[in-house]
Amino acid sequence: QVQLVESGGGEVQAGGSLRLSCAASRSIFSIGRMGWYRQAPGKQRELVADISTAGRTTKYADSVKDRFTISRDNAKNTMYLQMNSLKPEDTAVYYCNAIINYRNYWGQGTQVTVSS
């Protein structure tokens, strides 16, 4: 089991930046892929980015490529999402995700609001 806690959300103007953090309650060295998802009002939750155990492999949604960067620091049990050049359409609740023994674990989410 693991508990995930997101932080770093907030309100920012278009073109601005935010850095989200996802702190895990246990070591993430043995956790495989971890990811960031987001859910905007009235829309389904979607994958934003994910990252392999050692951080060598990353995947991004087309809508955030070249603007967002996912990373993880296994020594600090933390995953990050650096978001640059934010757009109003990036407004959503952002969730951290980990899969352990085929079970999905989610954080409580952090709100990101981008104003035009």
Side-chain angles (χ1 to χ4, degrees), residues 39-99:
Q39 187 166 18
K43 294 189 176 181
Q44 289 190 333
R45 192 171 297 189
E46 63 174 356
L47 175 67
V48 176
D50 65 14
I51 187 167
S52 62
T53 305
R56 293 191 182 96
T57 305
T58 58
K59 181 174 63 179
Y60 296 91
D62 288 342
S63 58
V64 307
K65 278 180 183 176
D66 300 323
R67 299 189 297 121
F68 290 11
T69 302
I70 189 171
S71 62
R72 64 193 283 174
D73 187 338
N74 290 345
K76 294 184 178 180
N77 301 331
T78 304
M79 179 177 65
Y80 304 97
L81 185 68
Q82 178 66 43
M83 305 186 295
N84 298 329
S85 302
L86 282 160
K87 304 175 180 180
E89 50 264 44
D90 294 318
T91 295
V93 178
Y94 284 70
Y95 297 93
C96 173
N97 172 264
I99 300 175

Side-chain angles (χ1 to χ4, degrees), residues 93-107:
V93 178
Y94 284 70
Y95 297 93
C96 173
N97 172 264
I99 300 175
I100 302 172
N101 295 328
Y102 308 105
R103 179 179 173 180
N104 268 299
Y105 291 86
W106 298 93

